[in-house]
Amino acid sequence: MTLSENDLWLLSYYRSSEINGALFFGRVARTLRGGPLQADVTHHFADEANHAKYWTRCIEDLGHHAAKLSGSYQDQYLDAVGLPANLMEVMAITQVFEKRVIGQYHRHLRAPDIHPRVRQTIETIMEDERWHVKYVRDALQEMAAKYGQELIDDTLARFTAADEEVYARTLAEYGERIAFLGEGPPAG
């Protein structure tokens, strides 16, 4: 199959975002004390690296090489919210972002004429993404004793608003590349 320039860009964007996710969670995993959360974050790091590998293989299986992109969806988060101040904020922004990823991949699965190889890649990745949302939600519930549920809820609301800002900005910049998906910018 010959990918259109926009298809290649989008799959490459997903790949770039997964690479950035792996790098981020690798750094977080190095900072955590031993225990269940350290194991989960390390698992998350490995998943993100594998997702980048899956996108690379998918693109190559379709007869192309991933496009070199200068940025990813996550890069815009720092501009919108700054660096997370603590582990709770890391988990909160992760929860918001992972929900965005699931929504984007669901949107892509509904696109007309999706190539079976792209569908297979998304479905494989979605299994991990659902687990990411679950372990992060569980971690945030455990952190309520330390941070308070109200602060966690406020943080999630702040990061959700930032995500919506990033989403709108990304759509304004790249909307023509993803018009075939309907409304919504890419996230990986």
Side-chain angles (χ1 to χ4, degrees):
M1 169 190 176
T2 301
L3 291 175
S4 72
E5 180 183 332
N6 288 341
D7 288 329
L8 178 59
W9 178 88
L10 181 59
L11 301 184
S12 297
Y13 194 87
Y14 290 162
R15 176 185 173 272
S16 180
S17 292
E18 298 289 0
I19 289 169
N20 279 3
L23 294 170
F24 175 77
F25 285 104
R27 287 189 299 272
V28 173
R30 283 192 326 218
T31 68
L32 294 176
R33 291 187 178 118
L37 188 57
Q38 181 195 55
D40 286 344
V41 171
T42 303
H43 181 162
H44 195 156
F45 153 71
D47 285 349
E48 299 292 330
N50 279 325
H51 298 171
K53 176 180 73 176
Y54 301 156
W55 282 122
T56 302
R57 286 184 179 162
C58 176
I59 292 165
E60 289 175 351
D61 288 350
L62 295 172
H64 296 271
H65 296 288
K68 183 178 178 183
L69 303 177
S70 60
S72 72
Y73 194 78
Q74 298 99 312
D75 292 335
Q76 298 179 55
Y77 269 54
L78 293 180
D79 293 337
V81 297
L83 285 172
N86 54 48
L87 185 57
M88 182 273 292
E89 287 192 358
V90 168
M91 292 292 104
I93 202 161
T94 299
Q95 184 74 344
V96 170
F97 182 74
E98 293 294 337
K99 286 182 177 183
R100 172 69 67 196
V101 169
I102 288 173
Q104 176 64 27
Y105 283 152
H106 275 298
R107 184 176 297 107
H108 199 141
L109 287 172
R110 291 189 306 268
D113 303 321
I114 184 173
H115 190 281
R117 183 66 178 89
V118 173
R119 177 178 296 283
Q120 174 195 27
T121 302
I122 291 173
E123 288 173 347
T124 298
I125 291 171
M126 287 288 282
E127 291 177 29
D128 295 334
E129 298 299 350
R130 285 187 284 274
W131 176 76
H132 297 167
V133 168
K134 182 191 179 317
Y135 99 81
V136 171
R137 182 185 59 236
D138 293 348
L140 285 168
Q141 287 174 349
E142 289 182 22
M143 291 178 183
K146 177 177 180 180
Y147 292 97
Q149 191 60 51
E150 184 177 347
L151 178 59
I152 291 172
D153 291 343
D154 290 348
T155 303
L156 287 166
R158 181 168 51 95
F159 289 160
T160 298
D163 178 74
E164 290 169 1
E165 175 187 322
V166 170
Y167 181 94
R169 197 169 46 227
T170 303
L171 182 57
E173 185 173 352
Y174 300 115
E176 74 285 348
R177 290 196 175 271
I178 58 169
F180 72 97
L181 294 178
E183 185 179 329

